[in-house]
């Protein structure tokens, strides 16, 4: 594959993932989330993806799962748990002030996860058409970002209303 094709595919699949959380932060009228925190949370999402890969690989070997069974039954649980750990840390460390901040930081966590996933798939699916990379670029950012944003919104809302719940406040969103 030519380097130009690889570059186009990389930009197509990675740029939207980074632009979505940056755009959400730009739209926020209060601008309480600093770009440095946003970048750090994207990095935590990438870290969550890396941890998921390690745990999923171990589960495949330990439980003798096929890739199909892993992706259906174990991987979603593992992936959402690692993304939730980031959200729990952000809320418990009081890095999330308002619900809009929860939405943005949750989305950034999921977008970081999608960024790592797309980098992996760029290598694994190198022969695919440009349409695949457009869908991966926009689709994975929305899916991972959206689900983690919902988790963060529900968790922040419940933990603000019921501080005594502690970690239980994160279960409904998870």
């Amino acid at each position: 594959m030519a380097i130009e094709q690889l570059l186009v595919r990389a930009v197509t699949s990675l740029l939207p993932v980074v632009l979505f959380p940056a755009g959400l932060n730009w739209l926020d009228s209060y601008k309480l989330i600093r770009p440095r925190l946003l970048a750090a949370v994207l990095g935590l999402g990438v870290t969550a993806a890396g941890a998921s890969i390690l745990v999923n690989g171990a589960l495949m070997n330990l439980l003798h799962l096929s890739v199909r069974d892993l992706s259906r039954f174990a991987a979603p649980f593992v992936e959402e748990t690692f993304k939730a750990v980031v959200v729990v840390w952000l809320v418990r460390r009081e890095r999330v002030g308002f619900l809009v901040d929860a939405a943005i930081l949750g989305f950034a966590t999921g977008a970081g996860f999608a960024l790592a996933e797309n980098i992996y798939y760029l290598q694994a699916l190198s022969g695919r058409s440009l349409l695949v990379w457009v869908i991966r670029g926009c689709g994975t950012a929305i899916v991972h970002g959206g689900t983690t944003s919902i988790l963060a919104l529900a968790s922040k809302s419940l933990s603000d209303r019921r501080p005594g719940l502690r970690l239980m406040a994160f279960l409904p969103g998870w």
Side-chain angles (χ1 to χ4, degrees), residues 11-166:
V11 168
T12 304
S13 68
L14 302 177
L15 191 60
V17 176
V18 176
L19 290 179
F20 280 134
L24 287 174
N25 198 38
W26 179 75
L27 289 171
D28 179 22
S29 58
Y30 293 109
K31 304 276 189 278
L32 295 178
I33 299 172
R34 302 285 178 242
R36 200 159 123 184
L37 176 60
L38 194 64
V41 172
L42 273 166
L44 289 172
V46 169
T47 304
S52 295
I53 288 170
L54 293 174
V55 170
N56 285 336
L59 285 174
M60 272 183 75
N61 293 332
L62 183 69
L63 302 175
H64 306 290
L65 296 173
S66 67
V67 172
R68 180 180 175 196
D69 287 343
L70 177 79
S71 64
R72 281 186 172 180
F73 303 113
F77 174 79
V78 170
E79 292 174 2
E80 297 311 315
T81 300
F82 278 113
K83 290 186 287 184
V85 166
V86 175
V87 171
V88 169
W89 182 80
L90 288 167
V91 173
R92 300 284 291 167
R93 299 284 300 182
E94 298 180 357
R95 301 283 190 229
V96 181
F98 297 101
L99 287 178
V100 68
D101 302 336
I104 294 167
L105 292 172
F107 198 95
T109 302
F113 193 99
L115 188 67
E117 190 176 87
N118 283 354
I119 290 169
Y120 169 80
Y121 281 119
L122 273 167
Q123 178 268 324
L125 305 174
S126 61
R128 302 292 195 250
S129 73
L130 185 60
L131 181 59
V132 168
W133 304 112
V134 170
I135 291 168
R136 288 216 57 84
C138 296
T140 58
I142 297 296
V143 170
H144 285 297
T147 57
T148 313
S149 187
I150 291 167
L151 163 69
L153 282 165
S155 300
K156 174 65 176 160
S157 177
L158 196 52
S159 65
D160 282 352
R161 284 188 281 145
R162 308 269 174 126
L165 287 178
R166 299 183 187 255

